[in-house]
Amino acid sequence: MDVKFCKADKIIMWYCPMERFVIFPDKIKISHSMRNLINKNLLYCTINKDFSGVIDGCSKVNNRNLMDGAWLGPDIIEAYTNLHKMGYATSVEVWHGDKLVGGLYGVTIGLAFFGESMFSIEPNASKMALVFLAQRMTKFGELLIDCQFETGHLKSMGGERISYERYIKIIGDGKMY
């Protein structure tokens, strides 16, 4: 299903695929090398400590805010920053000392996290953010990370396609089946 929203002279495209690519937090796959990185304690994670730093980092990866038609431009950054101020958008930050080296952000509604973007300027920092998020969600009984897009990176961490019907059931009831 495609929906178009118009804002002045701009058209914002909204897509709703009939299959969703998700990670169930309690099923996240942590590779041996990732476990080693975590156990070294060189990096650490926080929640909502530097939302603007994370969204800025995401916008700079591959110049996402400069490309023609890029989705992470000033309007989107402003919208998600406002969602964060209202308590809906969440960031996970990965730090090496006092330097932000990776992270992710998205929207939390009910028992689901709807991922928007992630970045890494140090190897595996975005993976570490995702592992941290999944472990935290499992601890609090949250059910689903909506990844939006299938990538090899996310698939290797346990991402899978589910039907739209199953997705809506989980989102609607907050129950796995």
Side-chain angles (χ1 to χ4, degrees), residues 2-18:
D2 295 346
V3 180
K4 295 180 183 180
F5 293 94
C6 294
K7 178 181 176 184
D9 62 343
K10 299 177 188 176
I11 295 177
I12 300 170
M13 299 298 290
W14 184 281
Y15 298 96
C16 183
M18 292 295 103

Side-chain angles (χ1 to χ4, degrees), residues 1 16-20 161-165 167:
M1 166 186 356
C16 183
M18 292 295 103
E19 282 190 326
R20 304 301 291 210
R161 289 194 170 280
I162 63 171
S163 70
Y164 183 73
E165 292 77 21
Y167 175 81

Side-chain angles (χ1 to χ4, degrees), residues 2-151:
D2 295 346
V3 180
K4 295 180 183 180
F5 293 94
C6 294
K7 178 181 176 184
D9 62 343
K10 299 177 188 176
I11 295 177
I12 300 170
M13 299 298 290
W14 184 281
Y15 298 96
C16 183
M18 292 295 103
E19 282 190 326
R20 304 301 291 210
F21 193 75
V22 303
I23 294 175
F24 296 106
D26 62 340
K27 293 181 179 179
I28 194 152
K29 294 179 183 174
I30 306 171
S31 69
H32 180 71
S33 60
M34 177 87 313
R35 284 192 197 283
N36 285 341
L37 177 64
I38 293 167
N39 291 336
K40 287 180 183 178
N41 292 316
L42 297 173
L43 306 175
Y44 68 96
C45 297
T46 57
I47 299 271
N48 291 329
K49 183 175 180 182
D50 190 0
F51 186 87
S52 63
V54 169
I55 200 167
D56 184 58
C58 291
S59 75
K60 290 178 179 171
V61 173
N62 299 322
N63 294 318
R64 288 181 183 153
N65 62 343
L66 301 176
M67 296 182 304
D68 185 34
W71 56 267
L72 194 44
D75 290 347
I76 297 297
I77 291 171
E78 180 182 0
Y80 277 94
T81 299
N82 288 335
L83 286 171
H84 175 68
K85 289 175 184 174
M86 293 186 296
Y88 294 106
T90 300
S91 63
V92 176
E93 303 87 15
V94 181
W95 304 89
H96 189 164
D98 61 356
K99 182 180 179 188
L100 181 64
V101 296
L104 59 81
Y105 79 96
V107 173
T108 302
I109 300 174
L111 300 176
F113 180 83
F114 303 86
E116 284 300 323
S117 189
M118 54 195 332
F119 83 103
S120 185
I121 58 174
E122 205 165 287
N124 296 311
S126 62
K127 287 181 182 179
M128 187 162 178
L130 187 58
V131 168
F132 180 84
L133 174 67
Q135 290 175 336
R136 188 172 191 274
M137 289 179 72
T138 298
K139 178 180 175 182
F140 292 106
E142 296 170 337
L143 300 176
L144 179 107
I145 300 170
D146 184 331
C147 300
Q148 293 190 26
F149 298 104
E150 180 177 344
T151 67

